[in-house]
Amino acid sequence: MAKGEPSVATKRPEDKTARARASGDPPAEPEFVQLLTPDGDRVEHPDYAVDFTDEEYRGLYRDLVIVRKLDAEATALQRQGELGIWASLLGQEAAQVGSGRALREQDMAFPTYREHGVLYCRGIDPIMPLGLFRGVDQGGWDPNEFKFNMYTIVIGAQTLHATGYAMGVALDGKVGNGGPDSDSEAVIAYFGDGASAQGDVNEAFVWATVFNAPIVFFCQNNQYAISQPIERQTRVPLYQRAAGFGFPGIRVDGNDVLASYAVTAPRSTTRATARGRA
Ligand SMILES: Cc1ncc(C[n+]2csc(CCOP(=O)(O)OP(=O)(O)O)c2C)c(N)n1
Ligand SMILES: [Mg+2]
């Protein structure tokens, strides 16, 4: 599709959630941001949009294929006994590439142990985490050089580290409007659905919001914490918890690389065209 041609289909899927809300029934389907259907059709969202060039779309697809391939290789190495363990990103490629590519060079990321796709987007040699999972080094990259902290195995601990770092960013006065030319720094902390029930994570939410820290909490809900299903972590959709802490919560289709990009990027860099919400 050439630039300038309509890149977004005008038709939205039937909004069953809105219809259910109007009828007073509970929502029939989860509300989430989606710019691509599972069949690959482009759909609009009233608040989020992207407008990439053909080469940029191809670049995202290339990233998805590469990180899946790297993950498959690492899984095979683990099965052959070369790695002690491997935390696979299978099924989380789009969430990681979308959010990872939305980061600006100066933004700081705090991963769990599974963010190999974000690591790749930060420009770190993807061989690096293999040394960590083989037990021969601590990970091997310089967090300050790549603005990507070391992997954290202790569930949820990185959300506290990230919040403290973000408070430091604010104290340094490096906060701003997030525009492309801004030298403001934002922080992103990745965590899982299971981690959302961890005390550290909830404390991080309180501190981040009370001190207005420039941080995005990016939860990848793969439905399980090892063997514990999401029903054992929460009775409400996880994104709704954010309201109780005082920050916006957005539910996004993690299999949709475009939506994952759009919700993570500063609004001024999504080059969104729909309804002038650039
Ligand atoms: C503080 C702490 N408690 C327990 C564990 C053991 N543990 C390793 S992975 C994991 C599940 C984490 O689930 P989730 O947050 O959903 O992340 P996912 O692995 O699904 O990406 C647990 C409990 C740990 N690493 N750290
Ligand atoms: Mg999980």
Side-chain angles (χ1 to χ4, degrees):
M1 168 194 339
K3 196 148 190 319
E5 284 179 16
S7 58
V8 178
T10 48
K11 176 166 79 75
R12 290 198 71 189
E14 186 192 8
D15 192 343
K16 292 181 186 158
T17 309
R19 202 182 54 193
R21 206 188 285 116
S23 71
D25 296 335
E29 287 192 349
E31 295 177 63
F32 62 178
V33 179
Q34 196 176 53
L35 299 176
L36 269 181
T37 69
D39 290 333
D41 293 327
R42 289 282 271 115
V43 288
E44 269 191 62
H45 188 277
D47 296 321
Y48 295 93
V50 292
D51 180 21
F52 293 123
T53 64
D54 285 3
E55 188 47 41
E56 287 167 336
Y57 281 117
R58 277 194 288 269
L60 289 172
Y61 185 62
R62 193 179 303 118
D63 290 340
L64 293 172
V65 172
I66 289 172
V67 300
R68 176 171 288 192
K69 181 72 181 158
L70 288 166
D71 187 72
E73 290 290 328
T75 298
L77 285 169
Q78 191 275 330
R79 297 291 188 270
Q80 291 163 16
E82 297 292 343
L83 306 180
I85 192 171
W86 178 248
S88 171
L89 63 64
L90 188 64
Q92 298 179 211
E93 299 87 347
Q96 295 194 14
V97 167
S99 61
R101 284 296 177 209
L103 305 182
R104 300 161 308 164
E105 202 181 334
Q106 69 267 33
D107 296 333
M108 183 72 181
F110 285 78
T112 69
Y113 39 72
R114 203 182 288 286
E115 270 69 64
H116 322 304
V118 185
L119 174 142
Y120 176 78
C121 292
R122 294 313 267 167
I124 297 171
D125 185 339
I127 199 78
M128 290 296 195
L130 274 68
L132 180 70
F133 284 98
R134 191 176 162 85
V136 295
D137 62 39
Q138 307 281 349
W141 63 89
D142 178 350
N144 282 325
E145 182 185 349
F146 295 99
K147 305 291 285 188
F148 184 83
N149 201 47
M150 303 310 294
Y151 280 0
T152 304
I153 308 293
V154 180
I155 298 298
Q158 74 283 358
T159 60
L160 287 172
H161 309 156
T163 299
Y165 183 97
M167 289 168 66
V169 169
L171 288 170
D172 285 346
K174 292 211 138 210
V175 287
N177 62 14
D181 301 325
S182 166
D183 70 346
S184 65
E185 183 174 344
V187 180
I188 188 166
Y190 291 86
F191 66 107
D193 48 293
S196 72
Q198 193 82 1
D200 282 3
V201 176
N202 287 266
E203 289 165 19
F205 291 165
V206 172
W207 279 77
T209 186
V210 168
F211 286 91
N212 211 17
I215 183 168
V216 172
F217 293 104
F218 194 97
C219 180
Q220 289 172 89
N221 178 4
N222 57 16
Q223 311 286 323
Y224 274 90
I226 308 184
S227 55
Q228 287 295 306
I230 184 71
E231 291 77 22
R232 288 280 179 268
Q233 313 289 349
T234 181
R235 287 296 183 198
V236 297
L238 287 175
Y239 79 102
Q240 290 179 1
R241 282 187 170 169
F245 290 95
F247 60 90
I250 301 161
R251 189 183 224 179
V252 56
D253 179 357
N255 284 316
D256 179 340
V257 69
L258 304 182
S260 298
Y261 180 99
V263 300
T264 311
R267 284 301 179 86
S268 50
T269 61
T270 54
R271 292 188 284 139
T273 50
R275 303 181 191 198
R277 284 185 177 263

PDB file of all heavy atoms in Angstrom, residues 36 50 52-67 93-94 96-102 120-121 257-259 261:
ATOM      1  N   LEU A  36      -5.791  -4.229  13.944  1.00  0.00           N
ATOM      2  CA  LEU A  36      -5.690  -5.364  13.021  1.00  0.00           C
ATOM      3  C   LEU A  36      -6.557  -6.491  13.568  1.00  0.00           C
ATOM      4  O   LEU A  36      -6.422  -6.834  14.746  1.00  0.00           O
ATOM      5  CB  LEU A  36      -4.254  -5.907  13.008  1.00  0.00           C
ATOM      6  CG  LEU A  36      -3.214  -5.407  12.045  1.00  0.00           C
ATOM      7  CD1 LEU A  36      -1.908  -6.165  12.294  1.00  0.00           C
ATOM      8  CD2 LEU A  36      -3.651  -5.571  10.605  1.00  0.00           C
ATOM      9  N   VAL A  50      -2.237   4.477  13.507  1.00  0.00           N
ATOM     10  CA  VAL A  50      -0.860   4.605  13.035  1.00  0.00           C
ATOM     11  C   VAL A  50      -0.905   4.859  11.533  1.00  0.00           C
ATOM     12  O   VAL A  50      -1.884   4.513  10.869  1.00  0.00           O
ATOM     13  CB  VAL A  50      -0.011   3.333  13.304  1.00  0.00           C
ATOM     14  CG1 VAL A  50       0.231   3.127  14.780  1.00  0.00           C
ATOM     15  CG2 VAL A  50      -0.640   2.116  12.677  1.00  0.00           C
ATOM     16  N   PHE A  52       2.018   4.291   8.915  1.00  0.00           N
ATOM     17  CA  PHE A  52       3.389   3.959   8.566  1.00  0.00           C
ATOM     18  C   PHE A  52       3.573   3.937   7.049  1.00  0.00           C
ATOM     19  O   PHE A  52       2.607   3.763   6.296  1.00  0.00           O
ATOM     20  CB  PHE A  52       3.757   2.577   9.116  1.00  0.00           C
ATOM     21  CG  PHE A  52       3.826   2.505  10.616  1.00  0.00           C
ATOM     22  CD1 PHE A  52       3.051   1.608  11.315  1.00  0.00           C
ATOM     23  CD2 PHE A  52       4.684   3.337  11.329  1.00  0.00           C
ATOM     24  CE1 PHE A  52       3.122   1.534  12.698  1.00  0.00           C
ATOM     25  CE2 PHE A  52       4.766   3.272  12.711  1.00  0.00           C
ATOM     26  CZ  PHE A  52       3.974   2.373  13.392  1.00  0.00           C
ATOM     27  N   THR A  53       4.814   4.058   6.632  1.00  0.00           N
ATOM     28  CA  THR A  53       5.138   3.828   5.230  1.00  0.00           C
ATOM     29  C   THR A  53       5.168   2.320   4.982  1.00  0.00           C
ATOM     30  O   THR A  53       5.236   1.523   5.926  1.00  0.00           O
ATOM     31  CB  THR A  53       6.531   4.395   4.880  1.00  0.00           C
ATOM     32  OG1 THR A  53       7.506   3.667   5.651  1.00  0.00           O
ATOM     33  CG2 THR A  53       6.617   5.888   5.179  1.00  0.00           C
ATOM     34  N   ASP A  54       5.150   1.939   3.705  1.00  0.00           N
ATOM     35  CA  ASP A  54       5.244   0.513   3.376  1.00  0.00           C
ATOM     36  C   ASP A  54       6.472  -0.114   4.024  1.00  0.00           C
ATOM     37  O   ASP A  54       6.423  -1.226   4.559  1.00  0.00           O
ATOM     38  CB  ASP A  54       5.336   0.321   1.852  1.00  0.00           C
ATOM     39  CG  ASP A  54       4.003   0.545   1.172  1.00  0.00           C
ATOM     40  OD1 ASP A  54       3.029   0.899   1.873  1.00  0.00           O
ATOM     41  OD2 ASP A  54       3.941   0.386  -0.061  1.00  0.00           O
ATOM     42  N   GLU A  55       7.589   0.609   3.936  1.00  0.00           N
ATOM     43  CA  GLU A  55       8.835   0.070   4.477  1.00  0.00           C
ATOM     44  C   GLU A  55       8.742  -0.111   5.988  1.00  0.00           C
ATOM     45  O   GLU A  55       9.263  -1.071   6.570  1.00  0.00           O
ATOM     46  CB  GLU A  55      10.016   0.983   4.108  1.00  0.00           C
ATOM     47  CG  GLU A  55      11.387   0.422   4.454  1.00  0.00           C
ATOM     48  CD  GLU A  55      11.597  -1.041   4.027  1.00  0.00           C
ATOM     49  OE1 GLU A  55      11.165  -1.430   2.903  1.00  0.00           O
ATOM     50  OE2 GLU A  55      12.177  -1.794   4.824  1.00  0.00           O
ATOM     51  N   GLU A  56       8.050   0.812   6.644  1.00  0.00           N
ATOM     52  CA  GLU A  56       7.881   0.693   8.100  1.00  0.00           C
ATOM     53  C   GLU A  56       6.996  -0.506   8.453  1.00  0.00           C
ATOM     54  O   GLU A  56       7.266  -1.237   9.403  1.00  0.00           O
ATOM     55  CB  GLU A  56       7.320   1.990   8.675  1.00  0.00           C
ATOM     56  CG  GLU A  56       8.362   3.104   8.688  1.00  0.00           C
ATOM     57  CD  GLU A  56       7.765   4.481   8.959  1.00  0.00           C
ATOM     58  OE1 GLU A  56       6.561   4.692   8.695  1.00  0.00           O
ATOM     59  OE2 GLU A  56       8.513   5.356   9.427  1.00  0.00           O
ATOM     60  N   TYR A  57       5.932  -0.709   7.675  1.00  0.00           N
ATOM     61  CA  TYR A  57       5.095  -1.902   7.921  1.00  0.00           C
ATOM     62  C   TYR A  57       5.927  -3.165   7.731  1.00  0.00           C
ATOM     63  O   TYR A  57       5.854  -4.103   8.520  1.00  0.00           O
ATOM     64  CB  TYR A  57       3.893  -1.930   6.963  1.00  0.00           C
ATOM     65  CG  TYR A  57       2.751  -1.022   7.375  1.00  0.00           C
ATOM     66  CD1 TYR A  57       2.371   0.045   6.576  1.00  0.00           C
ATOM     67  CD2 TYR A  57       2.038  -1.255   8.540  1.00  0.00           C
ATOM     68  CE1 TYR A  57       1.312   0.876   6.938  1.00  0.00           C
ATOM     69  CE2 TYR A  57       0.989  -0.438   8.911  1.00  0.00           C
ATOM     70  CZ  TYR A  57       0.628   0.628   8.113  1.00  0.00           C
ATOM     71  OH  TYR A  57      -0.401   1.437   8.480  1.00  0.00           O
ATOM     72  N   ARG A  58       6.707  -3.182   6.642  1.00  0.00           N
ATOM     73  CA  ARG A  58       7.538  -4.369   6.384  1.00  0.00           C
ATOM     74  C   ARG A  58       8.557  -4.562   7.505  1.00  0.00           C
ATOM     75  O   ARG A  58       8.884  -5.682   7.882  1.00  0.00           O
ATOM     76  CB  ARG A  58       8.243  -4.249   5.031  1.00  0.00           C
ATOM     77  CG  ARG A  58       7.371  -4.680   3.863  1.00  0.00           C
ATOM     78  CD  ARG A  58       8.192  -4.866   2.600  1.00  0.00           C
ATOM     79  NE  ARG A  58       8.633  -3.606   2.051  1.00  0.00           N
ATOM     80  CZ  ARG A  58       7.956  -2.891   1.143  1.00  0.00           C
ATOM     81  NH1 ARG A  58       6.813  -3.348   0.672  1.00  0.00           N
ATOM     82  NH2 ARG A  58       8.416  -1.747   0.706  1.00  0.00           N
ATOM     83  N   GLY A  59       9.068  -3.445   8.030  1.00  0.00           N
ATOM     84  CA  GLY A  59      10.043  -3.509   9.121  1.00  0.00           C
ATOM     85  C   GLY A  59       9.454  -4.170  10.361  1.00  0.00           C
ATOM     86  O   GLY A  59      10.101  -5.009  11.005  1.00  0.00           O
ATOM     87  N   LEU A  60       8.222  -3.822  10.678  1.00  0.00           N
ATOM     88  CA  LEU A  60       7.577  -4.441  11.848  1.00  0.00           C
ATOM     89  C   LEU A  60       7.388  -5.938  11.617  1.00  0.00           C
ATOM     90  O   LEU A  60       7.617  -6.764  12.507  1.00  0.00           O
ATOM     91  CB  LEU A  60       6.218  -3.779  12.124  1.00  0.00           C
ATOM     92  CG  LEU A  60       6.268  -2.350  12.677  1.00  0.00           C
ATOM     93  CD1 LEU A  60       4.871  -1.744  12.716  1.00  0.00           C
ATOM     94  CD2 LEU A  60       6.889  -2.327  14.068  1.00  0.00           C
ATOM     95  N   TYR A  61       6.979  -6.287  10.400  1.00  0.00           N
ATOM     96  CA  TYR A  61       6.789  -7.711  10.093  1.00  0.00           C
ATOM     97  C   TYR A  61       8.120  -8.458  10.181  1.00  0.00           C
ATOM     98  O   TYR A  61       8.201  -9.569  10.731  1.00  0.00           O
ATOM     99  CB  TYR A  61       6.163  -7.862   8.703  1.00  0.00           C
ATOM    100  CG  TYR A  61       5.832  -9.295   8.371  1.00  0.00           C
ATOM    101  CD1 TYR A  61       4.914 -10.012   9.132  1.00  0.00           C
ATOM    102  CD2 TYR A  61       6.452  -9.945   7.304  1.00  0.00           C
ATOM    103  CE1 TYR A  61       4.621 -11.332   8.852  1.00  0.00           C
ATOM    104  CE2 TYR A  61       6.168 -11.264   7.017  1.00  0.00           C
ATOM    105  CZ  TYR A  61       5.248 -11.954   7.785  1.00  0.00           C
ATOM    106  OH  TYR A  61       4.973 -13.266   7.512  1.00  0.00           O
ATOM    107  N   ARG A  62       9.169  -7.809   9.667  1.00  0.00           N
ATOM    108  CA  ARG A  62      10.504  -8.419   9.723  1.00  0.00           C
ATOM    109  C   ARG A  62      10.898  -8.677  11.179  1.00  0.00           C
ATOM    110  O   ARG A  62      11.383  -9.747  11.542  1.00  0.00           O
ATOM    111  CB  ARG A  62      11.517  -7.481   9.044  1.00  0.00           C
ATOM    112  CG  ARG A  62      12.867  -8.114   8.748  1.00  0.00           C
ATOM    113  CD  ARG A  62      13.800  -7.130   8.051  1.00  0.00           C
ATOM    114  NE  ARG A  62      13.244  -6.607   6.811  1.00  0.00           N
ATOM    115  CZ  ARG A  62      12.973  -5.315   6.575  1.00  0.00           C
ATOM    116  NH1 ARG A  62      13.232  -4.402   7.478  1.00  0.00           N
ATOM    117  NH2 ARG A  62      12.477  -4.937   5.422  1.00  0.00           N
ATOM    118  N   ASP A  63      10.662  -7.674  12.032  1.00  0.00           N
ATOM    119  CA  ASP A  63      10.984  -7.835  13.459  1.00  0.00           C
ATOM    120  C   ASP A  63      10.240  -9.027  14.062  1.00  0.00           C
ATOM    121  O   ASP A  63      10.811  -9.813  14.812  1.00  0.00           O
ATOM    122  CB  ASP A  63      10.560  -6.588  14.244  1.00  0.00           C
ATOM    123  CG  ASP A  63      11.412  -5.367  13.936  1.00  0.00           C
ATOM    124  OD1 ASP A  63      12.540  -5.532  13.420  1.00  0.00           O
ATOM    125  OD2 ASP A  63      10.946  -4.243  14.217  1.00  0.00           O
ATOM    126  N   LEU A  64       8.947  -9.135  13.717  1.00  0.00           N
ATOM    127  CA  LEU A  64       8.146 -10.235  14.278  1.00  0.00           C
ATOM    128  C   LEU A  64       8.715 -11.583  13.887  1.00  0.00           C
ATOM    129  O   LEU A  64       8.837 -12.494  14.710  1.00  0.00           O
ATOM    130  CB  LEU A  64       6.691 -10.130  13.788  1.00  0.00           C
ATOM    131  CG  LEU A  64       5.871  -8.934  14.271  1.00  0.00           C
ATOM    132  CD1 LEU A  64       4.528  -8.871  13.538  1.00  0.00           C
ATOM    133  CD2 LEU A  64       5.635  -9.016  15.771  1.00  0.00           C
ATOM    134  N   VAL A  65       9.077 -11.696  12.612  1.00  0.00           N
ATOM    135  CA  VAL A  65       9.599 -12.971  12.117  1.00  0.00           C
ATOM    136  C   VAL A  65      10.947 -13.279  12.772  1.00  0.00           C
ATOM    137  O   VAL A  65      11.197 -14.411  13.215  1.00  0.00           O
ATOM    138  CB  VAL A  65       9.732 -12.932  10.575  1.00  0.00           C
ATOM    139  CG1 VAL A  65      10.460 -14.166  10.064  1.00  0.00           C
ATOM    140  CG2 VAL A  65       8.349 -12.817   9.931  1.00  0.00           C
ATOM    141  N   ILE A  66      11.796 -12.265  12.867  1.00  0.00           N
ATOM    142  CA  ILE A  66      13.137 -12.489  13.431  1.00  0.00           C
ATOM    143  C   ILE A  66      13.062 -12.889  14.905  1.00  0.00           C
ATOM    144  O   ILE A  66      13.708 -13.845  15.335  1.00  0.00           O
ATOM    145  CB  ILE A  66      14.024 -11.230  13.238  1.00  0.00           C
ATOM    146  CG1 ILE A  66      14.388 -11.084  11.757  1.00  0.00           C
ATOM    147  CG2 ILE A  66      15.280 -11.302  14.100  1.00  0.00           C
ATOM    148  CD1 ILE A  66      15.096  -9.785  11.414  1.00  0.00           C
ATOM    149  N   VAL A  67      12.243 -12.175  15.688  1.00  0.00           N
ATOM    150  CA  VAL A  67      12.235 -12.515  17.117  1.00  0.00           C
ATOM    151  C   VAL A  67      11.591 -13.886  17.350  1.00  0.00           C
ATOM    152  O   VAL A  67      11.993 -14.612  18.263  1.00  0.00           O
ATOM    153  CB  VAL A  67      11.589 -11.417  18.009  1.00  0.00           C
ATOM    154  CG1 VAL A  67      12.347 -10.107  17.860  1.00  0.00           C
ATOM    155  CG2 VAL A  67      10.116 -11.237  17.744  1.00  0.00           C
ATOM    156  N   GLU A  93       5.138 -11.845  20.570  1.00  0.00           N
ATOM    157  CA  GLU A  93       5.996 -11.094  19.645  1.00  0.00           C
ATOM    158  C   GLU A  93       5.427  -9.713  19.347  1.00  0.00           C
ATOM    159  O   GLU A  93       6.145  -8.707  19.340  1.00  0.00           O
ATOM    160  CB  GLU A  93       6.162 -11.859  18.323  1.00  0.00           C
ATOM    161  CG  GLU A  93       6.815 -13.222  18.422  1.00  0.00           C
ATOM    162  CD  GLU A  93       5.815 -14.342  18.710  1.00  0.00           C
ATOM    163  OE1 GLU A  93       4.663 -14.035  19.070  1.00  0.00           O
ATOM    164  OE2 GLU A  93       6.196 -15.508  18.574  1.00  0.00           O
ATOM    165  N   ALA A  94       4.122  -9.668  19.055  1.00  0.00           N
ATOM    166  CA  ALA A  94       3.527  -8.394  18.620  1.00  0.00           C
ATOM    167  C   ALA A  94       3.513  -7.372  19.752  1.00  0.00           C
ATOM    168  O   ALA A  94       3.793  -6.186  19.531  1.00  0.00           O
ATOM    169  CB  ALA A  94       2.114  -8.630  18.093  1.00  0.00           C
ATOM    170  N   GLN A  96       5.596  -7.190  22.152  1.00  0.00           N
ATOM    171  CA  GLN A  96       6.961  -6.732  22.429  1.00  0.00           C
ATOM    172  C   GLN A  96       7.535  -5.872  21.307  1.00  0.00           C
ATOM    173  O   GLN A  96       8.166  -4.848  21.570  1.00  0.00           O
ATOM    174  CB  GLN A  96       7.860  -7.939  22.684  1.00  0.00           C
ATOM    175  CG  GLN A  96       7.444  -8.688  23.946  1.00  0.00           C
ATOM    176  CD  GLN A  96       8.475  -9.673  24.432  1.00  0.00           C
ATOM    177  OE1 GLN A  96       9.627  -9.659  23.999  1.00  0.00           O
ATOM    178  NE2 GLN A  96       8.071 -10.537  25.335  1.00  0.00           N
ATOM    179  N   VAL A  97       7.305  -6.276  20.073  1.00  0.00           N
ATOM    180  CA  VAL A  97       7.835  -5.476  18.954  1.00  0.00           C
ATOM    181  C   VAL A  97       7.073  -4.150  18.861  1.00  0.00           C
ATOM    182  O   VAL A  97       7.675  -3.085  18.673  1.00  0.00           O
ATOM    183  CB  VAL A  97       7.752  -6.263  17.633  1.00  0.00           C
ATOM    184  CG1 VAL A  97       7.993  -5.349  16.433  1.00  0.00           C
ATOM    185  CG2 VAL A  97       8.752  -7.418  17.633  1.00  0.00           C
ATOM    186  N   GLY A  98       5.750  -4.212  19.027  1.00  0.00           N
ATOM    187  CA  GLY A  98       4.965  -2.977  18.947  1.00  0.00           C
ATOM    188  C   GLY A  98       5.383  -1.980  20.004  1.00  0.00           C
ATOM    189  O   GLY A  98       5.654  -0.812  19.704  1.00  0.00           O
ATOM    190  N   SER A  99       5.473  -2.441  21.244  1.00  0.00           N
ATOM    191  CA  SER A  99       5.852  -1.504  22.316  1.00  0.00           C
ATOM    192  C   SER A  99       7.332  -1.139  22.215  1.00  0.00           C
ATOM    193  O   SER A  99       7.698   0.018  22.436  1.00  0.00           O
ATOM    194  CB  SER A  99       5.546  -2.109  23.691  1.00  0.00           C
ATOM    195  OG  SER A  99       6.280  -3.302  23.901  1.00  0.00           O
ATOM    196  N   GLY A 100       8.161  -2.115  21.855  1.00  0.00           N
ATOM    197  CA  GLY A 100       9.605  -1.843  21.770  1.00  0.00           C
ATOM    198  C   GLY A 100       9.948  -0.820  20.705  1.00  0.00           C
ATOM    199  O   GLY A 100      10.809   0.040  20.908  1.00  0.00           O
ATOM    200  N   ARG A 101       9.270  -0.893  19.573  1.00  0.00           N
ATOM    201  CA  ARG A 101       9.538   0.072  18.492  1.00  0.00           C
ATOM    202  C   ARG A 101       8.940   1.441  18.796  1.00  0.00           C
ATOM    203  O   ARG A 101       9.312   2.439  18.172  1.00  0.00           O
ATOM    204  CB  ARG A 101       8.983  -0.456  17.171  1.00  0.00           C
ATOM    205  CG  ARG A 101       9.813  -1.557  16.551  1.00  0.00           C
ATOM    206  CD  ARG A 101      11.195  -1.079  16.165  1.00  0.00           C
ATOM    207  NE  ARG A 101      12.021  -2.158  15.626  1.00  0.00           N
ATOM    208  CZ  ARG A 101      13.345  -2.196  15.727  1.00  0.00           C
ATOM    209  NH1 ARG A 101      14.015  -1.229  16.337  1.00  0.00           N
ATOM    210  NH2 ARG A 101      14.031  -3.194  15.211  1.00  0.00           N
ATOM    211  N   ALA A 102       8.009   1.500  19.740  1.00  0.00           N
ATOM    212  CA  ALA A 102       7.409   2.795  20.093  1.00  0.00           C
ATOM    213  C   ALA A 102       8.324   3.615  21.005  1.00  0.00           C
ATOM    214  O   ALA A 102       8.128   4.824  21.143  1.00  0.00           O
ATOM    215  CB  ALA A 102       6.060   2.573  20.774  1.00  0.00           C
ATOM    216  N   TYR A 120      15.676  -6.972  21.439  1.00  0.00           N
ATOM    217  CA  TYR A 120      16.072  -6.901  20.029  1.00  0.00           C
ATOM    218  C   TYR A 120      15.810  -5.492  19.473  1.00  0.00           C
ATOM    219  O   TYR A 120      16.653  -4.917  18.779  1.00  0.00           O
ATOM    220  CB  TYR A 120      15.308  -7.954  19.228  1.00  0.00           C
ATOM    221  CG  TYR A 120      15.563  -7.893  17.753  1.00  0.00           C
ATOM    222  CD1 TYR A 120      16.731  -8.423  17.211  1.00  0.00           C
ATOM    223  CD2 TYR A 120      14.650  -7.288  16.894  1.00  0.00           C
ATOM    224  CE1 TYR A 120      16.980  -8.350  15.857  1.00  0.00           C
ATOM    225  CE2 TYR A 120      14.891  -7.210  15.537  1.00  0.00           C
ATOM    226  CZ  TYR A 120      16.062  -7.745  15.026  1.00  0.00           C
ATOM    227  OH  TYR A 120      16.304  -7.647  13.678  1.00  0.00           O
ATOM    228  N   CYS A 121      14.648  -4.948  19.799  1.00  0.00           N
ATOM    229  CA  CYS A 121      14.313  -3.604  19.297  1.00  0.00           C
ATOM    230  C   CYS A 121      15.246  -2.536  19.859  1.00  0.00           C
ATOM    231  O   CYS A 121      15.439  -1.485  19.235  1.00  0.00           O
ATOM    232  CB  CYS A 121      12.871  -3.240  19.665  1.00  0.00           C
ATOM    233  SG  CYS A 121      11.628  -4.222  18.806  1.00  0.00           S
ATOM    234  N   VAL A 257       0.368  -5.899  16.450  1.00  0.00           N
ATOM    235  CA  VAL A 257       1.595  -5.106  16.571  1.00  0.00           C
ATOM    236  C   VAL A 257       1.313  -3.612  16.402  1.00  0.00           C
ATOM    237  O   VAL A 257       1.958  -2.770  17.037  1.00  0.00           O
ATOM    238  CB  VAL A 257       2.671  -5.616  15.576  1.00  0.00           C
ATOM    239  CG1 VAL A 257       2.282  -5.324  14.129  1.00  0.00           C
ATOM    240  CG2 VAL A 257       4.043  -5.031  15.892  1.00  0.00           C
ATOM    241  N   LEU A 258       0.347  -3.286  15.560  1.00  0.00           N
ATOM    242  CA  LEU A 258       0.044  -1.868  15.314  1.00  0.00           C
ATOM    243  C   LEU A 258      -0.626  -1.242  16.543  1.00  0.00           C
ATOM    244  O   LEU A 258      -0.283  -0.130  16.950  1.00  0.00           O
ATOM    245  CB  LEU A 258      -0.847  -1.722  14.078  1.00  0.00           C
ATOM    246  CG  LEU A 258      -0.300  -2.333  12.789  1.00  0.00           C
ATOM    247  CD1 LEU A 258      -1.260  -2.072  11.634  1.00  0.00           C
ATOM    248  CD2 LEU A 258       1.099  -1.804  12.466  1.00  0.00           C
ATOM    249  N   ALA A 259      -1.568  -1.971  17.114  1.00  0.00           N
ATOM    250  CA  ALA A 259      -2.242  -1.449  18.312  1.00  0.00           C
ATOM    251  C   ALA A 259      -1.259  -1.356  19.474  1.00  0.00           C
ATOM    252  O   ALA A 259      -1.282  -0.381  20.245  1.00  0.00           O
ATOM    253  CB  ALA A 259      -3.419  -2.342  18.677  1.00  0.00           C
ATOM    254  N   TYR A 261       1.875  -0.816  19.283  1.00  0.00           N
ATOM    255  CA  TYR A 261       2.690   0.375  19.021  1.00  0.00           C
ATOM    256  C   TYR A 261       1.912   1.636  19.393  1.00  0.00           C
ATOM    257  O   TYR A 261       2.404   2.511  20.115  1.00  0.00           O
ATOM    258  CB  TYR A 261       3.078   0.419  17.534  1.00  0.00           C
ATOM    259  CG  TYR A 261       3.923   1.623  17.164  1.00  0.00           C
ATOM    260  CD1 TYR A 261       5.305   1.507  17.062  1.00  0.00           C
ATOM    261  CD2 TYR A 261       3.339   2.860  16.928  1.00  0.00           C
ATOM    262  CE1 TYR A 261       6.078   2.610  16.736  1.00  0.00           C
ATOM    263  CE2 TYR A 261       4.110   3.966  16.605  1.00  0.00           C
ATOM    264  CZ  TYR A 261       5.475   3.837  16.503  1.00  0.00           C
ATOM    265  OH  TYR A 261       6.238   4.935  16.197  1.00  0.00           O
TER     266      TYR A 261
END
